[in-house]
């Protein structure tokens, strides 16, 4: 009886989602505590990320009673690597467009150690946010309501969750809902696994902060490798929220997300809602 209650979709959303979100908060606490010691911060975040993956795996195996196919190891390297490559290239292309328009200028370089804090930031967000928003929210909602409704729900929740960040804006949150919501869910739908979306999420955030010294979703993460001067309208540069709120990133991310969704459709990876299964 208790197992049936635990397996109910709403129960899984609340218990597993809230549990992982709590660990995400603990991870953020460690990052803040070790802000002046980036190697310790990285070690703490890596340990918390491993714990998050273990908690997710244990819940799926012992409560949902199924193989954890979305985190299976065969093919992990290829999918993770592809996500890392796409995330880094996509953000770099956005910056190059701003450079061609004269809105982003490189004025110097910082020591390589300036990139280190961005590694722990990107690792924690890449692992925990993908477990919560794609591994739990998208997957569980999709089981009942189908892929398209789940895509809408998970994208909106993902964007709204960024409203609590320091320099958050409604435009920034909506932009993330569209560009990142489509892209990250699309990566999951194409592969039916989390590795590509984790890789993309990590690479985008690391490239944004660690290399190009940009704010990440409204969070001022400090200087990265490149000293830069960013000028221009907020709609083009993203303003204090960061490039994610810019028209450039919105167009690039949405285009990539739509491409992945079309690929998922061609592969037959779109799930219908539960009521169509029974007809």
């Amino acid at each position: 009886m208790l197992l049936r209650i635990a397996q109910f979709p709403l129960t899984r959303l609340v218990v597993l989602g809230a549990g992982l979100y709590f660990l995400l908060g603990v991870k953020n606490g460690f990052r803040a505590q070790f802000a002046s010691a980036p190697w310790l911060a990285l070690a703490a975040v890596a340990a918390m990320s491993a714990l998050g993956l273990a908690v997710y795996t244990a819940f799926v195996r012992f409560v949902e009673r199924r193989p954890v196919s979305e985190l299976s190891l065969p093919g992990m390297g290829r999918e993770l690597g592809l996500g890392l490559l796409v995330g880094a290239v996509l953000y770099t292309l956005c910056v190059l467009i701003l450079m061609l328009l004269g809105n982003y200028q490189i004025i110097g370089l910082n020591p390589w150690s300036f990139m280190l804090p961005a590694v722990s930031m990107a690792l924690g967000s890449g692992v925990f946010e993908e477990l919560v928003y794609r591994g739990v929210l998208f997957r569980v909602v999709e089981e009942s309501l189908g892929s398209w409704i789940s895509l809408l729900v998970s994208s909106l929740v993902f964007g709204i969750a960024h409203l609590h960040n320091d320099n958050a804006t409604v435009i920034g949150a909506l932009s993330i809902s569209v560009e990142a919501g489509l892209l990250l869910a699309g990566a999951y739908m194409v592969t039916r696994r989390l590795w590509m979306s984790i890789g993309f999420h990590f690479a985008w955030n690391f490239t944004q902060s660690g290399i190009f010294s940009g704010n990440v979703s409204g969070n001022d993460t400090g200087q990265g490798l490149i000293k830069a001067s960013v000028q221009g309208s907020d709609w083009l540069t993203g303003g204090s929220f960061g490039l994610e709120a810019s028209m450039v990133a919105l167009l690039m991310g949405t285009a990539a997300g739509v491409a992945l969704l079309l690929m998922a459709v061609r592969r037959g990876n779109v799930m219908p809602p539960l009521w169509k299964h029974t007809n």
Side-chain angles (χ1 to χ4, degrees):
M1 182 65 178
L2 288 177
L3 183 59
R4 284 190 176 183
I5 294 174
Q7 290 175 338
F8 189 70
L10 184 59
T11 307
R12 287 185 285 146
L13 282 173
V14 172
V15 174
L16 183 55
L20 289 170
Y21 207 82
F22 171 77
L23 293 179
L24 185 154
V26 174
K27 178 268 299 179
N28 289 338
F30 279 127
R31 280 194 65 236
Q33 181 179 352
F34 298 130
S36 61
W39 285 110
L40 286 177
L42 178 56
V45 169
M48 289 301 302
S49 298
L51 177 60
L53 290 166
V55 167
Y56 182 95
T57 298
F59 188 93
V60 170
R61 283 182 176 173
F62 298 114
V63 176
E64 297 187 15
R65 297 293 181 90
R66 65 174 181 82
V68 196
S69 57
E70 62 270 34
L71 289 176
S72 59
L73 296 180
M76 179 191 74
R78 178 177 58 82
E79 292 172 7
L80 186 63
L82 184 58
L84 291 169
L85 177 63
V86 171
V89 169
L90 194 60
Y91 189 86
T92 301
L93 286 175
C94 292
V95 173
L96 289 176
I97 291 172
L98 290 184
M99 290 178 68
L100 291 174
L101 295 174
N103 298 101
Y104 186 101
Q105 294 181 329
I106 297 175
I107 58 178
L109 295 176
N110 291 310
W112 70 269
S113 58
F114 277 54
M115 295 189 293
L116 189 56
V119 178
S120 59
M121 176 275 296
L123 176 63
S125 60
V127 171
F128 276 103
E129 292 185 17
E130 291 314 300
L131 288 177
V132 170
Y133 294 107
R134 258 59 63 179
V136 179
L137 181 59
F138 180 89
R139 179 176 60 82
V140 174
V141 173
E142 185 187 42
E143 291 173 2
S144 300
L145 302 182
S147 298
W148 300 125
I149 295 177
S150 182
L151 176 65
L152 176 63
V153 171
S154 62
S155 296
L156 284 175
V157 173
F158 185 55
I160 291 170
H162 289 78
L163 283 173
H164 74 274
N165 292 350
D166 292 338
N167 297 303
T169 65
V170 174
I171 295 298
L174 291 175
S175 296
I176 284 181
S177 292
V178 177
E179 68 200 24
L182 295 181
L183 184 60
L184 294 168
Y188 174 77
M189 288 174 64
V190 166
T191 62
R192 285 291 155 188
R193 284 141 59 85
L194 290 167
W195 297 120
M196 186 182 294
S197 60
I198 289 174
F200 173 85
H201 204 141
F202 173 91
W204 176 278
N205 283 1
F206 172 76
T207 306
Q208 185 170 209
S209 174
I211 296 179
F212 293 107
S213 303
N215 287 359
V216 178
S217 308
N219 291 316
D220 185 356
T221 51
Q223 286 288 304
L225 179 64
I226 293 175
K227 296 178 183 178
S229 172
V230 182
Q231 299 176 338
S233 302
D234 287 357
W235 70 268
L236 191 58
T237 66
S240 60
F241 189 87
L243 188 57
E244 290 156 327
S246 73
M247 185 59 65
V248 175
L250 179 62
L251 293 175
M252 296 286 288
T254 302
V258 169
L260 285 174
L261 292 174
L262 290 174
M263 191 181 301
V265 171
R266 288 198 297 269
R267 292 185 178 185
N269 288 349
V270 176
M271 291 180 58
L274 190 60
W275 58 85
K276 289 192 175 181
H277 280 291
T278 58
N279 291 338

